[in-house]
């Protein structure tokens, strides 16, 4: 060998020695997740033997379930068993969820054990059983690094000592439900109906599926209960296949759960939505503050503008005396609280019965809109001086009945729109226990009534108001104009809800009511007029108007071309890899209409969307639509407006309920699909 080759050979030998040292060090280094093989009891020929692989992670380290989620890999076992022995499938405890960087993993962060039942042949030697071994491989991770680990675990069955630890390990394994679940795929979502007693506690639900890459692991899962059936909905992963069977673990919370197997079959729609850990309602005090602030803001939201005339009259009368001001403030607050609590109770009762209704359900019913039209028409005529009945005189001095009626009407008309701060509180109210939900509805009413309540009890505030005088009569007549606009809006809503014939019938009913009240006020045979009014109302409402209801009017094409919303359409649009904008509106939602005029139905928005390739979807909630209601509930919304933006490949971004003029243009221009 030439002398000049010796240095190169020395370097190569040193490198090989260093590499072998590193390998030896790695083999000698203990695992971050220690493992040991344990048997439940001595060998009994012909009877199964339960083994456990007990894992103990170091602090900050975790192992993985058989389906690890978005990253990682599960446990693999290679058994060394005596002839005739057969190891079954590993049984795992309920895993935990770990989300890092938007990826969800199914992990175990503390000590846990995997159980394996081994079939022992009847010919096995009970006195001197052969030792068994298993080559195990797993992945140990922290939030920063992952290390593949392995070990050969051996067990001398002749020295097995029974221990109580198996009772604890076996109790951690979820039991298998004795009835098969059913599943179906629709609208880009996997829906699973799991038999589960309604009385079983479900503090934190989550479905862990054994099938890989079938669902989006980090997406929000939603649940509803229909009797002894739990309905889970999970967004499907892109390109997900269609399995013939599936299995998994339904986590119930607090480490409890059940195993299930499912086959294709029908899955009911509806049910009572349930709160999950993915949709934490938040501290109740924070929700109460949100409901209170939302009620306060309703006083200046567009959806409350039609009844500002009634509030203005009450404000003007509040300055006459301290006692009267306090009485009117309390009466107005009582009316608002009664209306909001009654609407809340009715909403909860309907949802408990399986009806998919939202916070604005009262304005989705044609009969309710007709009743509001008749009432608003009568109030308009009363303000204009056509008649002057005490029961409709909302400014009658010294009597709190008018303020109470104002509060009832204010809450009934104002609450369908969901303003800032109010959305989270009302969405949580649909998922919380009844007592807490009613507290939220009461806080909303208190916020709506608070300005009048403060005026009633704080004289310095009342001194800021104009003094009562003859101007009030002129003001009262002037306020007939905004109430008349409310009548026109309600008549238009009747047309949108039930068609032209229905709207004409409702208008005739309102005119007949005004004529009857005018005759009653003038004293012309009051009993006859009252009887005629009652009979006319009963016959018209019970017979004529319901028969005139037609399918809702089709939406007119706007500046922004949009497809009708459905979950299937949304899934298809997102699969195209383009940005998607979804908005939910209704003809009775003034906030929605203001946003559409100011930010959505604009030429600048249309051009920005077209340039960025944005797909626009619109959901019309004017009439009750269970599919839209389910979708709103899934996103924690009890009402509308709701605006969602989906970046390509991303999850839904909930936009503010009050859109600025260029907010959508900015989103489109910032989209990856936008041009230079």
């Amino acid at each position: 060998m030439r002398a000049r080759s010796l240095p190169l050979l020395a370097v190569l030998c040193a490198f090989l020695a260093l590499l072998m040292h590193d390998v030896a060090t790695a083999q000698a280094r203990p695992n971050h997740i220690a493992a040991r093989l344990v048997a439940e009891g001595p060998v009994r020929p012909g009877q199964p033997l339960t083994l456990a692989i007990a894992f103990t992670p170091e602090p900050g380290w975790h192992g993985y379930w058989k389906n690890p989620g978005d990253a990682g890999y599960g446990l693999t076992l290679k058994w060394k068993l005596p002839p005739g022995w057969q190891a079954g499938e590993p049984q795992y405890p309920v895993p935990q969820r770990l989300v890092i960087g938007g990826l969800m993993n199914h992990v175990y962060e503390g000590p846990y054990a995997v159980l394996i039942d081994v079939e022992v042949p009847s010919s096995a030697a009970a006195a001197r059983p052969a030792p068994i071994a298993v080559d195990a491989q797993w992945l140990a991770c922290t939030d920063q690094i992952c290390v593949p680990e392995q070990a050969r675990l051996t067990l001398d069955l002749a020295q097995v000592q029974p221990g109580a630890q198996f009772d604890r390990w076996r109790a951690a394994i979820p039991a298998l439900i004795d009835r098969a679940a059913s599943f179906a795929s629709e609208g880009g979502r996997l829906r699973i109906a799991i038999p589960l007693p309604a009385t079983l506690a479900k503090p934190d639900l989550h479905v862990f599926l054994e099938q890989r890459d079938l669902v989006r692991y980090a997406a929000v899962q939603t649940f509803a209960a229909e009797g002894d059936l739990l309905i889970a909905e999970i967004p499907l992963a892109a390109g997900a296949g269609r399995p013939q069977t599936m299995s998994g673990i339904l986590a119930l919370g607090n480490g409890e759960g059940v195993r299930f197997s499912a086959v294709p079959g029908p899955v009911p729609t509806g049910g009572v939505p349930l709160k999950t850990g993915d949709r934490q309602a938040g501290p109740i005090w924070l929700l109460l503050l949100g409901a209170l602030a939302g009620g306060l803001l309703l006083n200046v939201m567009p959806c409350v503008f039609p009844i500002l005339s009634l509030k203005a009259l009450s404000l003007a009368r509040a300055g006459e005396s301290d006692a009267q001001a306090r009485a009117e403030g309390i009466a107005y607050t009582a009316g608002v609280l009664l209306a909001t609590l009654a609407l809340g109770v009715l909403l909860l009762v309907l949802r408990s019965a399986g009806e998919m209704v939202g916070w604005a359900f009262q304005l989705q019913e044609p009969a309710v809109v007709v009743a509001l039209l008749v009432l608003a028409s009568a109030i308009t005529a009363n303000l204009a001086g056509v008649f002057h009945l005490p029961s409709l005189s909302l400014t009658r001095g010294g009597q709190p009945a008018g303020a109470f009626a104002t509060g009832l009407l204010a809450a009934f008309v104002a609450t369908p729109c969901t303003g800032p701060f109010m959305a989270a509180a009302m969405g949580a109210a649909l998922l919380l226990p009844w007592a807490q939900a009613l507290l939220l509805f009461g806080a909303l009413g208190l916020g709506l009534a608070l300005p009048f309540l403060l005026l009633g009890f704080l004289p310095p505030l009342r001194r800021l108001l104009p003094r009562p005088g003859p101007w009030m009569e002129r003001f009262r007549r002037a306020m007939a104009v905004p109430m008349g606009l409310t009548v026109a809006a309600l008549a238009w809503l009747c047309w949108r809800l039930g068609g032209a014939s229905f709207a004409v019938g409702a208008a005739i009913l309102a005119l007949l009511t005004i004529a009857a009240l005018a005759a009653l006020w003038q004293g012309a045979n009051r009993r006859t007029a009252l009887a005629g009014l009652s009979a006319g109302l009963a016959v018209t409402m019970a017979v004529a108007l319901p028969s005139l209801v037609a399918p809702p009017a089709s939406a007119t094409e706007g500046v922004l071309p949009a497809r009708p919303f459905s979950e299937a359409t949304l899934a298809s649009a997102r699969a195209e890899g383009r940005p998607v904008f979804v908005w939910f509106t209704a003809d009775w939602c003034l906030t929605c209409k203001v946003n559409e005029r100011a930010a959505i139905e604009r030429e600048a928005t249309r051009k920005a969307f077209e340039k960025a390739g944005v797909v626009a979807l619109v959901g019309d909630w004017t009439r009750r639509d269970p599919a839209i209601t389910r979708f709103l509930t899934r996103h924690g919304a009890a009402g509308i407006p709701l605006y969602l933006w989906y970046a390509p490949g991303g999850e839904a971004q909930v936009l503010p309920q009050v859109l600025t003029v260029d907010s959508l243009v900015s989103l489109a221009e910032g989209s990856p699909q936008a041009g230079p």
Side-chain angles (χ1 to χ4, degrees):
M1 180 178 294
R2 297 180 180 181
R4 62 184 181 183
S5 300
L6 292 178
L8 179 61
L9 181 61
V11 171
L12 180 60
C13 290
F15 175 76
L16 291 175
L18 180 62
L19 181 62
M20 294 179 66
H21 176 268
D22 288 343
V23 171
T25 302
Q27 290 177 341
R29 183 178 59 233
N31 289 324
H32 295 287
I33 301 180
R36 58 193 178 97
L37 183 62
V38 187
E40 185 174 16
V43 174
R44 293 183 176 85
Q47 297 184 16
L49 174 68
T50 300
L51 304 177
I53 302 178
F55 294 95
T56 307
E58 293 178 356
W61 291 79
H62 58 261
Y64 288 86
W65 186 51
K66 62 190 308 181
N67 179 353
D70 284 314
Y73 62 79
L75 175 68
T76 60
L77 302 173
K78 187 176 181 180
W79 290 95
K80 307 294 184 181
L81 299 173
W85 294 42
Q86 183 67 40
E89 289 293 320
Q91 304 172 47
Y92 293 80
V94 179
Q96 301 160 289
R97 288 165 280 170
L98 177 64
V99 180
I100 301 177
L103 301 178
M104 179 180 286
N105 295 330
H106 307 149
V107 304
Y108 300 101
E109 294 183 312
Y112 65 101
V114 177
L115 302 187
I116 304 98
D117 289 330
V118 177
E119 294 182 6
V120 179
S122 56
S123 58
R128 300 179 59 84
I132 60 176
V134 60
D135 291 326
Q137 295 181 338
W138 61 88
L139 186 66
C141 293
T142 69
D143 292 349
Q144 303 294 328
I145 62 171
C146 289
V147 179
E149 297 184 342
Q150 61 182 1
R152 166 163 283 200
L153 308 176
T154 60
L155 180 63
D156 185 356
L157 294 175
Q159 300 180 7
V160 170
Q161 298 294 328
Q165 55 192 355
F166 263 90
D167 294 335
R168 183 178 72 255
W169 291 338
R170 192 181 297 278
I173 304 299
L176 179 64
I177 298 176
D178 57 358
R179 289 190 295 156
S182 60
F183 69 90
S185 301
E186 55 184 67
R189 302 183 69 82
L190 174 67
R191 306 183 68 246
I192 312 174
I194 304 174
L196 200 68
T199 56
L200 192 65
K202 313 173 186 70
D204 188 6
L205 294 167
H206 192 84
V207 172
F208 297 93
L209 290 178
E210 295 184 3
Q211 285 70 26
R212 295 290 305 267
D213 304 322
L214 182 61
V215 298
R216 301 207 304 270
Y217 299 115
V220 173
Q221 300 182 0
T222 57
F223 298 87
E226 187 172 282
D228 290 333
L229 201 63
L230 182 75
I231 303 166
E233 292 193 11
I234 313 171
L236 288 166
R242 295 181 177 273
Q244 296 302 310
T245 61
M246 67 175 54
S247 56
I249 293 176
L250 171 65
L252 303 174
N254 301 323
E256 302 293 329
V258 293
R259 287 181 293 156
F260 67 90
S261 60
V263 296
V267 178
T269 59
V272 180
L274 302 175
K275 180 176 71 70
T276 70
D278 295 325
R279 298 162 56 201
Q280 292 292 342
I284 186 64
W285 65 267
L286 188 60
L287 294 173
L288 288 171
L289 285 179
L292 185 68
L296 275 170
L297 287 176
L298 278 180
N299 286 279
V300 295
M301 290 291 287
C303 47
V304 84
F305 285 169
I307 58 168
L308 283 180
S309 58
L310 305 179
K311 291 189 173 185
L313 292 172
S314 295
L315 280 170
R317 299 296 297 184
E320 293 184 350
S321 71
D322 290 347
Q324 180 186 341
R326 288 193 295 269
E328 290 202 8
I330 294 174
Y332 177 83
T333 302
V336 171
L337 288 175
L338 178 61
T340 52
L341 288 173
L343 288 172
V345 169
L346 182 57
L347 175 61
L348 294 176
V349 168
L350 290 174
R351 292 181 74 92
S352 297
E355 294 288 337
M356 293 307 296
V357 295
W359 180 234
F361 70 97
Q362 65 268 36
L363 290 185
Q364 295 175 316
E365 297 297 333
V368 175
V369 178
V370 170
L372 283 174
L373 174 64
V374 171
L375 179 60
S377 300
I379 293 173
T380 301
N382 187 56
L383 293 174
V386 176
F387 48 79
H388 187 70
L389 295 179
S391 59
L392 288 178
S393 178
L394 301 181
T395 60
R396 188 184 180 194
Q399 296 291 338
F404 181 81
T406 305
L408 284 174
L409 186 61
F412 192 75
V413 175
T415 49
C417 285
T418 308
F421 303 108
M422 178 180 161
M426 292 301 98
L430 302 182
L431 303 171
L432 291 172
W434 273 53
Q436 296 181 6
L438 291 179
L439 279 178
L440 292 178
F441 292 128
L444 172 68
L446 181 60
L448 181 59
L450 193 56
F452 283 82
L453 193 61
L454 293 177
L455 280 169
F457 283 85
L458 298 178
L461 290 180
R462 293 200 305 276
R463 285 195 287 269
L464 299 176
L465 299 173
R467 294 180 61 83
W471 67 270
M472 292 184 60
E473 181 63 25
R474 295 190 298 271
F475 183 75
R476 181 178 69 86
R477 293 180 181 274
M479 288 301 98
V481 175
M483 277 309 303
L485 295 177
T486 302
V487 172
L490 289 169
W492 175 78
L493 183 55
C494 285
W495 169 66
R496 296 294 296 174
L497 283 169
S501 298
F502 179 75
V504 171
I508 292 174
L509 175 62
L511 291 174
L512 289 175
T513 302
I514 293 174
L517 289 173
L520 181 64
W521 171 248
Q522 293 171 4
N525 199 352
R526 295 187 178 185
R527 292 185 179 181
T528 303
L530 186 59
L533 171 62
S534 301
L537 289 176
V539 172
T540 304
M541 294 296 291
V543 179
L545 282 179
S547 64
L548 295 177
V549 176
S554 59
T556 57
E557 186 174 348
V559 175
L560 188 67
R563 309 175 192 173
F565 168 82
S566 71
E567 295 205 46
T569 306
L570 174 60
S572 176
R574 295 184 63 192
E576 296 175 11
R578 299 162 60 186
V580 180
F581 172 62
V582 185
W583 86 91
F584 295 92
T585 183
D587 291 332
W588 39 260
C589 178
L590 295 180
T591 307
C592 305
K593 296 306 176 185
V594 170
N595 281 332
E596 288 164 24
R597 180 176 293 274
I600 299 175
E601 297 289 358
R602 298 177 62 238
E603 190 64 26
T605 305
R606 184 192 64 80
K607 290 180 179 179
F609 276 26
E610 183 177 335
K611 184 177 181 180
V614 178
V615 179
L617 304 178
V618 57
D620 189 345
W621 208 38
T622 301
R623 293 289 295 269
R624 188 184 303 178
D625 188 326
I628 290 180
T629 307
R630 281 195 298 271
F631 189 85
L632 293 174
T633 303
R634 191 178 302 135
H635 287 79
I640 56 173
L642 176 66
Y643 306 107
L644 301 176
W645 177 268
Y646 293 85
E651 293 300 318
Q653 174 188 351
V654 180
L655 304 182
Q657 290 189 311
V658 179
L659 300 176
T660 59
V661 173
D662 294 322
S663 56
L664 296 179
V665 174
S666 300
L667 279 173
E669 290 176 348
S671 168
Q673 295 293 319

